[in-house]
Amino acid sequence: MEVRIVSKTIIHGFSTRTDNATEMNASTGRIPGLWQHFDQEVPVDYVGGERVYGAYFDYESNHLGQFTVLAGFDGKTVPPKLNLEKQIIPAGKYLVFCAQGKMPDIAINAWTDVWHYFSNENADHQRLHTVDFEYYPSGDQIEVHIAIK
């Protein structure tokens, strides 16, 4: 993991409101269905340089509270018929956790690393719970960016 300063990024996609307890149960989790819907509906031009993001924001409290997640992309052309929501990933300081392999395992592994890191009271960085995001450089890589002080 490393600290990165990230520029503001605007993404568009679909969102849902959930919490970690809901997502830990395969029969109640909303995030897998959200990504399926996004993948089926949104034409991402990977060859043209567009990339996929997952934004986590509107935190009720900490990792125990509700939050909103948006499955989105940074496309310059947003199909108006899809009624995609806009989310701004603010410029700032982020601690980045990376994983490579098969989905969804890499997302689960990266977020497990995040939870382990921030559950340590002696962690070098403090989480802000403002806007966090996943960035997918390719189909088998993930970078989870956590906003820090």
Side-chain angles (χ1 to χ4, degrees):
M1 84 190 114
E2 67 177 282
V3 175
R4 291 188 197 159
I5 304 300
V6 173
S7 300
K8 175 178 126 177
T9 302
I10 298 172
I11 62 173
H12 293 86
F14 302 112
S15 72
T16 191
R17 188 97 174 133
T18 191
D19 57 58
N20 286 326
T22 300
E23 296 306 316
M24 294 299 171
N25 183 333
S27 66
T28 60
R30 296 180 184 131
I31 294 175
L34 175 69
W35 280 107
Q36 271 186 331
H37 180 63
F38 174 82
D39 288 339
Q40 291 170 352
E41 298 294 325
V42 179
V44 179
D45 181 9
Y46 294 102
V47 174
E50 294 177 348
R51 291 295 176 261
V52 172
Y53 291 77
Y56 296 76
F57 55 98
D58 199 15
Y59 287 98
E60 181 179 61
S61 56
N62 55 21
H63 66 283
L64 299 175
Q66 291 204 326
F67 55 89
T68 302
V69 58
L70 181 133
F73 78 122
D74 62 356
K76 305 301 179 244
T77 304
V78 179
K81 68 178 180 166
L82 294 179
N83 294 317
L84 299 178
E85 301 168 47
K86 174 182 170 181
Q87 176 61 38
I88 296 173
I89 296 171
K93 187 171 156 183
Y94 293 84
L95 188 59
V96 182
F97 297 79
C98 300
Q100 188 165 357
K102 290 187 175 210
M103 284 297 292
D105 296 339
I106 60 172
I108 294 166
N109 294 342
W111 278 103
T112 299
D113 290 346
V114 169
W115 295 324
H116 284 272
Y117 179 85
F118 287 103
S119 66
N120 179 350
E121 61 187 44
N122 296 319
D124 290 336
H125 304 283
Q126 187 175 2
R127 189 171 178 186
L128 292 176
H129 288 98
T130 52
V131 176
D132 302 315
F133 67 96
E134 300 164 345
Y135 168 68
Y136 296 90
S138 68
D140 66 348
Q141 292 179 300
I142 186 174
E143 297 178 358
V144 177
H145 294 68
I146 304 297
I148 57 174
K149 288 186 177 181

